[in-house]
Amino acid sequence: MLVEYFLPTLLPFWALPPVLFLIYSLFLVIYRLYFHPLARFPGRRLAAITLWYEFYHDAIRRGKYTFEIKAMHEEFGIVACPSYGGGCWCANKGGLDAGPIVRINPHELHINDPDYYDYFFNLKLDKWGWFTRQFGNSKSTQSTPRHDIHRMRRGALAPFFTRAKVLQLENVIKDKTEMLCARLSGYRKVNNDKRHIGEELEPTCLGIAYHCLTTEVVTQYSWGRSYDCLDDPTFKEDWFFMLRGLAEVGHIGRQFGWFLPLMESLPVWLAGLINKNAKDSAVFRRGLVDQVQEVKKAPRDQFIGKSHPTIFHELDNSSLPECEKTSSRLSQEGLLVLFAGFETTANAMAVTTYHLLRNPNKLARVRAELEGVMRGRDGEVVGWVELEKLEYFSAVITEGLRMATGVSSRLPRLAPEQGLKFREWEIPPGVRLDHSFAPFALAKSRGQKGYESD
């Protein structure tokens, strides 16, 4: 009664909302630090208080929160503590093992334990909707929160990436690779001419060139057409940076759920007033919808007899429910397939190339093995069935894939109703839980998996 009597006289009406907000924030901080189900788990207090801590490191510092999580594991170690089931946490000032579990935001725990990896990702858990909304494609397989729907959508895509299906695509891969090799040979000839006359040599960005190659392959496989990236004098460099920009803006889309839907709803001319990347992104997304509509309008027999299947023609004629084959959903699936196909593969190729160039003895060994199988073929391209039998070449590819770490972001899931147990830790139901092994244990995995130095 006293508060109701004095508050209106002590505060003007306009000051009431901010005061109430401050009171609410104070109680929220106290709750998250001392009474929240995750309060007993180790972690930085600022991370436990607010999601803005993560936003700062990801959006402002551009994707650095992964490394902050790594630092948290190193910062908090585990020591003996009988009062807490055999283990408790404290600041790691040396001599302690890195903490295997830390609280990285108010709602989420992160585990760093290679032995727990397979168990965790074999559980039938839903994804965290707050995290999956970051790319604005909530209808795609990757961004589907519910496990049962995700399983249905993934089941429809998975057959297109079996060994047999990829072998059907071998001629496309060969043709596109020969186009890239021709471009690189042209650059080498130009630089040789410049070297003879003493001019400055012109470097070629193999990372962008590889992205062009993988984009050409995946779009040909998806739609039966390509974007002609390999014919472009600059390897469509602007287009590559636009796609990278789509990934980076996900940090904003995660924190502000309305941001990406708003950007997608903008007309092209208005997006162009923001910047060139925004305009290119709007054109690109609308182009995906147009391609799906072309697929839907095309007669089924138009694609019968092709040397390889096309993903979205097959999906449109699959047994999926009709609600799963709308232009909107399939266009979002198209964005997912494009990103998954061009980014991860090109990155693995770039990382492998880098390490081979950095280790000339290993590069020479790979070349010698390849020259051996190509000798006497008079320029004939060797197929994958023969190449995969080359022991050292296959080992280099495997090591390149390991070093490239296809997904460096975490993939949080929701703990089931019965909760989970990790070592001595009891994880409450509904908690957001993640295990991203690749970014942290890359160096360790070499010894754990028995890789030889050569």
Side-chain angles (χ1 to χ4, degrees):
M1 292 296 293
L2 289 175
V3 172
E4 293 177 359
Y5 180 79
F6 285 109
L7 193 58
T9 60
L10 294 176
L11 290 173
F13 178 76
W14 59 266
L16 188 59
V19 168
L20 292 178
F21 176 76
L22 288 174
I23 294 173
Y24 166 77
S25 300
L26 178 62
F27 276 98
L28 185 63
V29 167
I30 294 172
Y31 169 73
R32 286 177 172 176
L33 286 179
Y34 300 104
F35 301 103
H36 193 280
L38 301 184
R40 61 191 175 87
F41 288 87
R44 294 176 182 170
R45 291 186 178 276
L46 193 55
I49 289 171
T50 177
L51 288 166
W52 290 105
Y53 182 72
E54 177 177 344
F55 178 81
Y56 166 73
H57 287 289
D58 266 346
I60 308 302
R61 297 187 63 219
R62 303 187 67 182
K64 294 296 191 294
Y65 200 54
T66 291
F67 304 101
E68 292 300 314
I69 295 173
K70 178 178 183 293
M72 288 186 212
H73 282 286
E74 296 170 348
E75 184 177 339
F76 296 94
I78 304 299
V79 295
C81 180
S83 63
Y84 184 68
C88 67
W89 64 272
C90 69
N92 193 350
K93 298 182 179 179
L96 302 178
D97 293 332
I101 185 168
V102 291
R103 183 183 184 184
I104 61 173
N105 66 42
H107 318 289
E108 186 179 353
L109 298 173
H110 188 278
I111 292 174
N112 181 27
D113 181 355
D115 295 331
Y116 197 69
Y117 186 85
D118 289 335
Y119 169 76
F120 178 73
F121 281 110
N122 278 315
L123 296 172
K124 296 178 180 180
L125 305 178
D126 291 344
K127 296 180 181 179
W128 185 14
W130 177 84
F131 196 87
T132 61
R133 71 185 185 182
Q134 62 183 313
F135 296 121
N137 58 342
S138 58
K139 299 176 183 177
S140 71
T141 300
Q142 181 267 340
S143 297
T144 303
R146 284 181 49 184
H147 171 77
D148 54 342
I149 299 177
H150 174 270
R151 184 176 182 179
M152 174 186 65
R153 291 174 174 174
R154 181 182 176 184
L157 276 178
F160 296 101
F161 299 97
T162 62
R163 172 184 165 82
K165 290 289 187 180
V166 173
L167 284 176
Q168 292 181 33
L169 197 65
E170 188 170 26
N171 287 333
V172 174
I173 298 173
K174 287 180 180 178
D175 291 343
K176 302 298 183 183
T177 303
E178 288 177 350
M179 290 175 64
L180 175 60
C181 290
R183 287 290 306 275
L184 296 179
S185 296
Y187 280 116
R188 182 174 62 178
K189 182 179 183 303
V190 169
N191 279 333
N192 284 338
D193 293 341
K194 288 184 175 183
R195 184 181 291 110
H196 290 315
I197 62 178
E199 290 186 5
E200 185 178 354
L201 303 184
E202 180 183 349
T204 302
C205 181
L206 282 179
I208 294 179
Y210 288 153
H211 278 87
C212 281
L213 171 64
T214 53
T215 297
E216 292 286 82
V217 172
V218 74
T219 53
Q220 190 71 40
Y221 190 25
S222 298
W223 315 103
R225 54 176 289 188
S226 69
Y227 290 130
D228 300 323
C229 297
L230 291 171
D231 293 326
D232 187 83
T234 65
F235 288 119
K236 289 201 173 181
E237 187 178 82
D238 290 345
W239 194 75
F240 162 73
F241 287 117
M242 179 273 294
L243 290 176
R244 276 287 177 89
L246 283 178
E248 289 189 8
V249 81
H251 301 310
I252 300 175
R254 190 192 311 159
Q255 190 76 358
F256 304 100
W258 48 266
F259 177 75
L260 290 176
L262 174 63
M263 293 297 294
E264 287 183 36
S265 66
L266 296 179
V268 174
W269 68 267
L270 187 54
L273 297 178
I274 301 174
N275 58 40
K276 186 178 185 300
N277 274 352
K279 179 181 178 180
D280 291 344
S281 174
V283 172
F284 171 67
R285 284 183 177 271
R286 283 162 176 76
L288 287 177
V289 176
D290 292 341
Q291 288 187 71
V292 171
Q293 291 173 346
E294 288 179 17
V295 167
K296 289 181 162 296
K297 292 177 183 177
R300 170 68 176 139
D301 57 6
Q302 179 178 337
F303 304 96
I304 294 177
K306 292 283 186 181
S307 61
H308 63 85
T310 50
I311 295 176
F312 288 93
H313 298 100
E314 296 291 333
L315 283 180
D316 189 53
N317 289 279
S318 69
S319 59
L320 281 172
E322 288 303 314
C323 62
E324 291 291 308
K325 296 189 283 187
T326 63
S327 297
S328 173
R329 201 197 83 77
L330 289 183
S331 68
Q332 293 190 19
E333 204 75 283
L335 181 63
L336 168 66
V337 171
L338 178 61
F339 266 107
F342 99 96
E343 177 65 28
T344 55
T345 311
N347 185 52
M349 293 171 68
V351 169
T352 304
T353 301
Y354 166 77
H355 285 287
L356 285 176
L357 293 174
R358 194 165 176 247
N359 297 273
N361 59 324
K362 295 178 174 58
L363 176 59
R365 186 171 172 181
V366 172
R367 280 179 167 169
E369 192 175 50
L370 289 173
E371 287 170 359
V373 76
M374 295 174 66
R375 191 175 296 118
R377 290 180 177 268
D378 194 25
E380 177 189 353
V381 178
V382 182
W384 175 245
V385 173
E386 293 179 78
L387 289 175
E388 67 179 347
K389 297 176 183 177
L390 302 179
E391 183 177 355
Y392 193 73
F393 179 68
S394 297
V396 166
I397 292 176
T398 301
E399 185 72 351
L401 290 170
R402 185 185 69 84
M403 295 290 288
T405 60
V407 178
S408 59
S409 173
R410 64 189 198 272
L411 302 169
R413 302 290 193 269
L414 302 182
E417 293 182 1
Q418 65 272 26
L420 285 173
K421 185 175 179 62
F422 170 67
R423 298 188 185 180
E424 71 271 22
W425 304 87
E426 296 289 343
I427 299 171
V431 166
R432 287 73 171 167
L433 183 66
D434 177 52
H435 188 315
S436 29
F437 167 60
F440 306 147
L442 181 60
K444 291 183 178 180
S445 66
R446 187 180 191 91
Q448 289 170 348
K449 295 184 179 183
Y451 284 98
E452 299 295 333
S453 60
D454 289 335

